[in-house]
Amino acid sequence: MTTTGPRWGMTIPFYDRSLAASRDLIAELPGLGYTDAWSAEVNGVDGFVPLAMASEWAPGVRLGSAIVPVSTRGPGLLAMSAATLADLAPERFVLGIGASSPAIVERWNAGEFVKPFARTRDTLRFLRKALAGEKVSERYETFEVKGFKLERAPKIPPKIVLAALRPRMLRLAAEEADGAITNWLSPGDVRKVRAEVGEETELIARLFVCVSEDAEKVRELGRWMLASYLTVPVYAAFHDWLGRGEVLRPMHEAWAAGDRQAALKAIPDEVVDELIVHGDAATCRARIREYVRDGLNTPVLAPIPGGEVPIAQAVRDLAPVEE
C-alpha cells in the first residue's frame, strides 16, 4: 500500500476481542485507509502470530512489532521469527525490539534484565548480520553467539526499529536502526523526542484513544492506565526527562507508600488529557494530526474500551480522512 500522507496505524488484535475474533475487523483496515498494523507483547498475545495472520487477512498493510523484548528470547530465535515474518510479508514487516521492563523479563519470563541499553544494542547488531544471511560467531558485551546462520535468510532483510524513550537509546535508534518507537507522550513531547533522532529517522508511537465525550469517565479510566505505566522506572525516568517529574511526584510517592487510591487521585486532569486522546471521533483525529504536525511519522492507534462507541466502530470512525 502506498500513502501520500502520513502513515496511520492500528494496534492488533483489539482490546475487546481475541485474535481469532479480530479477523474480520483486521481485514477492514486496508479499505479504511490504515497503512500499518502493529502488535504488542506484554501478557496477552505474543508479538509475532498476530502479524503472521494479518499478513493474509490484510494484504498490503505494513506489519510491525511494538515491541518484542530482547531478553525474553535468545538472539537466534528472534532472528528466526523475524525471518519467518519477512518471508510471509516481503518488504512489509518491520521488527520492533526493545529492552522491555524488569517485570516482563524477570518476574514473568525468568530472564535477566541486565544492561538493557547494551543488550538492545548487541541484539540489533546481531540481527543485522543474521538477517543478512551471515554466519555469526561473535562475543558481544551481553551475550556470545557461536556459528549461528539462518537456514533460509530473507531475500530482503526487514527493517529494525528500537523502542526508545530517552536520549541515549533514541540516538542509537537514529544511528544504527531504521527508526524509533516511543509511547505515552503528548504532541508537544514529540518535538523533544524528534530533536534527539533528527529529521530523517522514522518516529513511531502508540497513541491510546478513547472515543468518548464523557471526559470525566475517560480521566478515571486514564488514571488507572497512567499509574500502571508511569510508575515503571523506565517510564518514570522518561517523564522526568520530558519535564513532568514534579507534577507526577505526588503520584509516585503515594504509589511507593502502597496507597493506590491516593496515587490515582494525584494525577492531574491535564496530564491525562495530554497523554490520552479522547473526545468524539473528529476531535480524536484532529488530536492525532497534532502529533503528526509535531514530528510523528507513524501514529499507531490503540482504541481503548470505556467510551460510548464500541471499539469496532471506533476503528472505523478513527480512519484517516483526507484534509
PDB file of all heavy atoms in Angstrom, residues 64-89:
ATOM      1  N   GLY A  64       4.170  -4.459  11.935  1.00  0.00           N
ATOM      2  CA  GLY A  64       5.291  -4.203  12.827  1.00  0.00           C
ATOM      3  C   GLY A  64       5.043  -4.704  14.229  1.00  0.00           C
ATOM      4  O   GLY A  64       3.903  -4.801  14.688  1.00  0.00           O
ATOM      5  N   SER A  65       6.117  -5.035  14.926  1.00  0.00           N
ATOM      6  CA  SER A  65       6.036  -5.451  16.336  1.00  0.00           C
ATOM      7  C   SER A  65       6.484  -4.285  17.206  1.00  0.00           C
ATOM      8  O   SER A  65       7.551  -3.728  16.998  1.00  0.00           O
ATOM      9  CB  SER A  65       6.928  -6.674  16.595  1.00  0.00           C
ATOM     10  OG  SER A  65       8.287  -6.419  16.263  1.00  0.00           O
ATOM     11  N   ALA A  66       5.638  -3.924  18.189  1.00  0.00           N
ATOM     12  CA  ALA A  66       5.967  -2.774  19.048  1.00  0.00           C
ATOM     13  C   ALA A  66       5.625  -3.099  20.498  1.00  0.00           C
ATOM     14  O   ALA A  66       4.561  -2.761  20.955  1.00  0.00           O
ATOM     15  CB  ALA A  66       5.207  -1.529  18.584  1.00  0.00           C
ATOM     16  N   ILE A  67       6.492  -3.758  21.214  1.00  0.00           N
ATOM     17  CA  ILE A  67       7.777  -4.285  20.736  1.00  0.00           C
ATOM     18  C   ILE A  67       7.944  -5.725  21.248  1.00  0.00           C
ATOM     19  O   ILE A  67       7.233  -6.159  22.150  1.00  0.00           O
ATOM     20  CB  ILE A  67       8.989  -3.421  21.225  1.00  0.00           C
ATOM     21  CG1 ILE A  67       8.985  -3.194  22.743  1.00  0.00           C
ATOM     22  CG2 ILE A  67       8.991  -2.073  20.585  1.00  0.00           C
ATOM     23  CD1 ILE A  67       9.673  -4.127  23.607  1.00  0.00           C
ATOM     24  N   VAL A  68       8.948  -6.405  20.673  1.00  0.00           N
ATOM     25  CA  VAL A  68       9.364  -7.706  21.183  1.00  0.00           C
ATOM     26  C   VAL A  68      10.587  -7.493  22.074  1.00  0.00           C
ATOM     27  O   VAL A  68      11.574  -6.884  21.646  1.00  0.00           O
ATOM     28  CB  VAL A  68       9.700  -8.664  20.023  1.00  0.00           C
ATOM     29  CG1 VAL A  68      10.298  -9.955  20.545  1.00  0.00           C
ATOM     30  CG2 VAL A  68       8.449  -8.947  19.199  1.00  0.00           C
ATOM     31  N   PRO A  69      10.550  -7.946  23.331  1.00  0.00           N
ATOM     32  CA  PRO A  69      11.695  -7.747  24.219  1.00  0.00           C
ATOM     33  C   PRO A  69      12.934  -8.510  23.751  1.00  0.00           C
ATOM     34  O   PRO A  69      12.827  -9.622  23.220  1.00  0.00           O
ATOM     35  CB  PRO A  69      11.204  -8.298  25.568  1.00  0.00           C
ATOM     36  CG  PRO A  69       9.711  -8.267  25.485  1.00  0.00           C
ATOM     37  CD  PRO A  69       9.401  -8.556  24.042  1.00  0.00           C
ATOM     38  N   VAL A  70      14.095  -7.931  23.977  1.00  0.00           N
ATOM     39  CA  VAL A  70      15.340  -8.575  23.551  1.00  0.00           C
ATOM     40  C   VAL A  70      15.845  -9.598  24.558  1.00  0.00           C
ATOM     41  O   VAL A  70      16.789 -10.339  24.250  1.00  0.00           O
ATOM     42  CB  VAL A  70      16.447  -7.530  23.282  1.00  0.00           C
ATOM     43  CG1 VAL A  70      16.074  -6.628  22.121  1.00  0.00           C
ATOM     44  CG2 VAL A  70      16.753  -6.707  24.539  1.00  0.00           C
ATOM     45  N   SER A  71      15.233  -9.653  25.740  1.00  0.00           N
ATOM     46  CA  SER A  71      15.748 -10.553  26.778  1.00  0.00           C
ATOM     47  C   SER A  71      14.803 -11.694  27.123  1.00  0.00           C
ATOM     48  O   SER A  71      15.056 -12.423  28.081  1.00  0.00           O
ATOM     49  CB  SER A  71      16.061  -9.752  28.046  1.00  0.00           C
ATOM     50  OG  SER A  71      17.054  -8.782  27.803  1.00  0.00           O
ATOM     51  N   THR A  72      13.732 -11.881  26.380  1.00  0.00           N
ATOM     52  CA  THR A  72      12.819 -12.989  26.654  1.00  0.00           C
ATOM     53  C   THR A  72      12.959 -14.117  25.635  1.00  0.00           C
ATOM     54  O   THR A  72      12.355 -15.173  25.790  1.00  0.00           O
ATOM     55  CB  THR A  72      11.353 -12.515  26.675  1.00  0.00           C
ATOM     56  OG1 THR A  72      11.056 -11.835  25.446  1.00  0.00           O
ATOM     57  CG2 THR A  72      11.107 -11.571  27.845  1.00  0.00           C
ATOM     58  N   ARG A  73      13.747 -13.882  24.599  1.00  0.00           N
ATOM     59  CA  ARG A  73      14.071 -14.900  23.602  1.00  0.00           C
ATOM     60  C   ARG A  73      15.570 -14.842  23.353  1.00  0.00           C
ATOM     61  O   ARG A  73      16.181 -13.796  23.497  1.00  0.00           O
ATOM     62  CB  ARG A  73      13.356 -14.646  22.265  1.00  0.00           C
ATOM     63  CG  ARG A  73      11.848 -14.744  22.276  1.00  0.00           C
ATOM     64  CD  ARG A  73      11.297 -14.297  20.913  1.00  0.00           C
ATOM     65  NE  ARG A  73       9.863 -14.427  20.803  1.00  0.00           N
ATOM     66  CZ  ARG A  73       8.998 -13.540  21.277  1.00  0.00           C
ATOM     67  NH1 ARG A  73       9.430 -12.463  21.905  1.00  0.00           N
ATOM     68  NH2 ARG A  73       7.693 -13.730  21.101  1.00  0.00           N
ATOM     69  N   GLY A  74      16.126 -15.958  22.909  1.00  0.00           N
ATOM     70  CA  GLY A  74      17.523 -15.928  22.504  1.00  0.00           C
ATOM     71  C   GLY A  74      17.682 -15.176  21.191  1.00  0.00           C
ATOM     72  O   GLY A  74      16.727 -15.046  20.416  1.00  0.00           O
ATOM     73  N   PRO A  75      18.879 -14.672  20.916  1.00  0.00           N
ATOM     74  CA  PRO A  75      19.104 -13.928  19.677  1.00  0.00           C
ATOM     75  C   PRO A  75      18.754 -14.727  18.421  1.00  0.00           C
ATOM     76  O   PRO A  75      18.140 -14.201  17.489  1.00  0.00           O
ATOM     77  CB  PRO A  75      20.600 -13.602  19.731  1.00  0.00           C
ATOM     78  CG  PRO A  75      20.941 -13.636  21.189  1.00  0.00           C
ATOM     79  CD  PRO A  75      20.072 -14.705  21.778  1.00  0.00           C
ATOM     80  N   GLY A  76      19.124 -16.010  18.395  1.00  0.00           N
ATOM     81  CA  GLY A  76      18.834 -16.829  17.220  1.00  0.00           C
ATOM     82  C   GLY A  76      17.345 -17.004  16.989  1.00  0.00           C
ATOM     83  O   GLY A  76      16.866 -16.954  15.853  1.00  0.00           O
ATOM     84  N   LEU A  77      16.584 -17.208  18.067  1.00  0.00           N
ATOM     85  CA  LEU A  77      15.143 -17.364  17.938  1.00  0.00           C
ATOM     86  C   LEU A  77      14.497 -16.077  17.425  1.00  0.00           C
ATOM     87  O   LEU A  77      13.584 -16.110  16.597  1.00  0.00           O
ATOM     88  CB  LEU A  77      14.531 -17.767  19.273  1.00  0.00           C
ATOM     89  CG  LEU A  77      13.014 -17.995  19.284  1.00  0.00           C
ATOM     90  CD1 LEU A  77      12.592 -19.020  18.240  1.00  0.00           C
ATOM     91  CD2 LEU A  77      12.548 -18.410  20.674  1.00  0.00           C
ATOM     92  N   LEU A  78      14.980 -14.935  17.912  1.00  0.00           N
ATOM     93  CA  LEU A  78      14.483 -13.660  17.396  1.00  0.00           C
ATOM     94  C   LEU A  78      14.728 -13.556  15.893  1.00  0.00           C
ATOM     95  O   LEU A  78      13.855 -13.112  15.137  1.00  0.00           O
ATOM     96  CB  LEU A  78      15.185 -12.501  18.101  1.00  0.00           C
ATOM     97  CG  LEU A  78      14.507 -11.889  19.316  1.00  0.00           C
ATOM     98  CD1 LEU A  78      15.411 -10.811  19.913  1.00  0.00           C
ATOM     99  CD2 LEU A  78      13.156 -11.304  18.960  1.00  0.00           C
ATOM    100  N   ALA A  79      15.910 -13.946  15.455  1.00  0.00           N
ATOM    101  CA  ALA A  79      16.230 -13.896  14.032  1.00  0.00           C
ATOM    102  C   ALA A  79      15.323 -14.821  13.229  1.00  0.00           C
ATOM    103  O   ALA A  79      14.851 -14.459  12.138  1.00  0.00           O
ATOM    104  CB  ALA A  79      17.696 -14.266  13.811  1.00  0.00           C
ATOM    105  N   MET A  80      15.043 -16.019  13.742  1.00  0.00           N
ATOM    106  CA  MET A  80      14.174 -16.956  13.028  1.00  0.00           C
ATOM    107  C   MET A  80      12.757 -16.414  12.897  1.00  0.00           C
ATOM    108  O   MET A  80      12.129 -16.501  11.833  1.00  0.00           O
ATOM    109  CB  MET A  80      14.165 -18.304  13.738  1.00  0.00           C
ATOM    110  CG  MET A  80      15.461 -19.081  13.594  1.00  0.00           C
ATOM    111  SD  MET A  80      15.361 -20.759  14.281  1.00  0.00           S
ATOM    112  CE  MET A  80      15.374 -20.430  16.039  1.00  0.00           C
ATOM    113  N   SER A  81      12.235 -15.848  13.986  1.00  0.00           N
ATOM    114  CA  SER A  81      10.888 -15.291  13.940  1.00  0.00           C
ATOM    115  C   SER A  81      10.807 -14.137  12.950  1.00  0.00           C
ATOM    116  O   SER A  81       9.851 -14.030  12.171  1.00  0.00           O
ATOM    117  CB  SER A  81      10.460 -14.821  15.329  1.00  0.00           C
ATOM    118  OG  SER A  81      10.395 -15.908  16.233  1.00  0.00           O
ATOM    119  N   ALA A  82      11.811 -13.277  12.979  1.00  0.00           N
ATOM    120  CA  ALA A  82      11.825 -12.146  12.054  1.00  0.00           C
ATOM    121  C   ALA A  82      11.939 -12.610  10.609  1.00  0.00           C
ATOM    122  O   ALA A  82      11.280 -12.062   9.713  1.00  0.00           O
ATOM    123  CB  ALA A  82      12.975 -11.207  12.399  1.00  0.00           C
ATOM    124  N   ALA A  83      12.767 -13.614  10.369  1.00  0.00           N
ATOM    125  CA  ALA A  83      12.917 -14.133   9.008  1.00  0.00           C
ATOM    126  C   ALA A  83      11.615 -14.750   8.508  1.00  0.00           C
ATOM    127  O   ALA A  83      11.271 -14.625   7.327  1.00  0.00           O
ATOM    128  CB  ALA A  83      14.048 -15.158   8.969  1.00  0.00           C
ATOM    129  N   THR A  84      10.884 -15.416   9.404  1.00  0.00           N
ATOM    130  CA  THR A  84       9.610 -16.014   9.023  1.00  0.00           C
ATOM    131  C   THR A  84       8.613 -14.944   8.588  1.00  0.00           C
ATOM    132  O   THR A  84       7.941 -15.077   7.558  1.00  0.00           O
ATOM    133  CB  THR A  84       9.026 -16.818  10.199  1.00  0.00           C
ATOM    134  OG1 THR A  84       9.961 -17.831  10.579  1.00  0.00           O
ATOM    135  CG2 THR A  84       7.707 -17.482   9.812  1.00  0.00           C
ATOM    136  N   LEU A  85       8.515 -13.861   9.367  1.00  0.00           N
ATOM    137  CA  LEU A  85       7.593 -12.774   9.001  1.00  0.00           C
ATOM    138  C   LEU A  85       8.041 -12.074   7.732  1.00  0.00           C
ATOM    139  O   LEU A  85       7.218 -11.690   6.892  1.00  0.00           O
ATOM    140  CB  LEU A  85       7.496 -11.771  10.150  1.00  0.00           C
ATOM    141  CG  LEU A  85       6.286 -11.902  11.073  1.00  0.00           C
ATOM    142  CD1 LEU A  85       4.983 -11.647  10.341  1.00  0.00           C
ATOM    143  CD2 LEU A  85       6.246 -13.256  11.747  1.00  0.00           C
ATOM    144  N   ALA A  86       9.348 -11.914   7.558  1.00  0.00           N
ATOM    145  CA  ALA A  86       9.855 -11.269   6.352  1.00  0.00           C
ATOM    146  C   ALA A  86       9.537 -12.101   5.113  1.00  0.00           C
ATOM    147  O   ALA A  86       9.330 -11.555   4.023  1.00  0.00           O
ATOM    148  CB  ALA A  86      11.359 -11.051   6.468  1.00  0.00           C
ATOM    149  N   ASP A  87       9.464 -13.408   5.277  1.00  0.00           N
ATOM    150  CA  ASP A  87       9.101 -14.290   4.170  1.00  0.00           C
ATOM    151  C   ASP A  87       7.600 -14.217   3.884  1.00  0.00           C
ATOM    152  O   ASP A  87       7.173 -14.215   2.727  1.00  0.00           O
ATOM    153  CB  ASP A  87       9.508 -15.726   4.504  1.00  0.00           C
ATOM    154  CG  ASP A  87       9.136 -16.710   3.398  1.00  0.00           C
ATOM    155  OD1 ASP A  87       9.598 -16.510   2.255  1.00  0.00           O
ATOM    156  OD2 ASP A  87       8.366 -17.652   3.671  1.00  0.00           O
ATOM    157  N   LEU A  88       6.787 -14.131   4.936  1.00  0.00           N
ATOM    158  CA  LEU A  88       5.333 -14.044   4.757  1.00  0.00           C
ATOM    159  C   LEU A  88       4.898 -12.702   4.175  1.00  0.00           C
ATOM    160  O   LEU A  88       3.916 -12.632   3.429  1.00  0.00           O
ATOM    161  CB  LEU A  88       4.632 -14.247   6.105  1.00  0.00           C
ATOM    162  CG  LEU A  88       4.628 -15.649   6.692  1.00  0.00           C
ATOM    163  CD1 LEU A  88       4.062 -15.629   8.110  1.00  0.00           C
ATOM    164  CD2 LEU A  88       3.825 -16.603   5.807  1.00  0.00           C
ATOM    165  N   ALA A  89       5.621 -11.639   4.534  1.00  0.00           N
ATOM    166  CA  ALA A  89       5.242 -10.286   4.106  1.00  0.00           C
ATOM    167  C   ALA A  89       6.482  -9.555   3.613  1.00  0.00           C
ATOM    168  O   ALA A  89       6.978  -8.639   4.277  1.00  0.00           O
ATOM    169  CB  ALA A  89       4.585  -9.542   5.257  1.00  0.00           C
TER     170      ALA A  89
END
